[in-house]
Amino acid sequence: MSFLDGKQMDLFDNLSIHEGADVEYKAARGGLPRDLWETYSAFANTQGGTIFLGITQQGERLDVHGLDNAEKLVTDFWNTINNQGKISRNLLTNEHVNLLPLTDKQASVVCVEVPRANRRERPVYVGSDPFKGTYRRNHEGDYLC
């Protein structure tokens, strides 16, 4: 589904066509993407942002394919984000993770709103070593600090 062909849904009126400093799209068709946690760390350590699972950017259009297994993915997400061996700090509450059902499919997009970590909570890092797992967000990329 393309946002440029006039078929956008009301739920996604605020979506940008392009990833940027505060928006990231991930396909997540095979489960939680490996680089999800780097993006979480980068958003938490900079200005925060929103991660959409079930959407991919393809040039000048978005493919909003959704996920058939979105509820299982959310369960896996919560299990992983609360594992301090994987990510140093969970900044999220239930209000930060939402399923956005697609009207034309039996699928949903997972929307994860990552707040900026406060001064006492930073750095938020992946793994057990802040020197090897702390990321920051610049433009549309996640970069190791």
Side-chain angles (χ1 to χ4, degrees), residues 29-136:
R29 285 186 169 125
L32 292 175
R34 288 186 202 180
D35 62 350
L36 170 66
W37 306 111
E38 286 85 355
T39 302
Y40 173 82
S41 168
F43 280 161
N45 291 322
T46 51
Q47 298 301 315
T50 305
I51 303 167
F52 292 96
L53 305 176
I55 300 177
T56 53
Q57 180 181 332
Q58 297 177 340
E60 292 297 316
R61 63 183 285 275
L62 293 179
D63 175 19
V64 184
H65 51 79
L67 303 165
D68 294 328
N69 62 342
E71 289 184 22
K72 180 187 179 316
L73 202 82
V74 169
T75 299
D76 294 345
F77 176 85
W78 283 115
N79 288 338
T80 306
I81 201 166
N82 285 303
N83 176 352
Q84 288 186 342
K86 181 63 177 176
I87 193 81
S88 66
R89 182 176 305 273
N90 176 6
L91 302 172
L92 308 181
T93 63
N94 288 330
E95 292 80 34
H96 292 107
V97 180
N98 295 288
L99 289 178
L100 306 175
L102 301 178
T103 57
D104 58 341
K105 299 179 183 180
Q106 296 285 53
S108 297
V109 168
V110 178
C111 174
V112 180
E113 297 176 52
V114 181
R116 180 179 190 205
N118 70 40
R119 192 171 154 223
R120 291 185 187 111
E121 295 168 326
R122 286 191 303 262
V124 175
Y125 53 92
V126 179
S128 59
D129 186 349
F131 294 105
K132 294 181 181 177
T134 301
Y135 290 81
R136 71 183 188 286

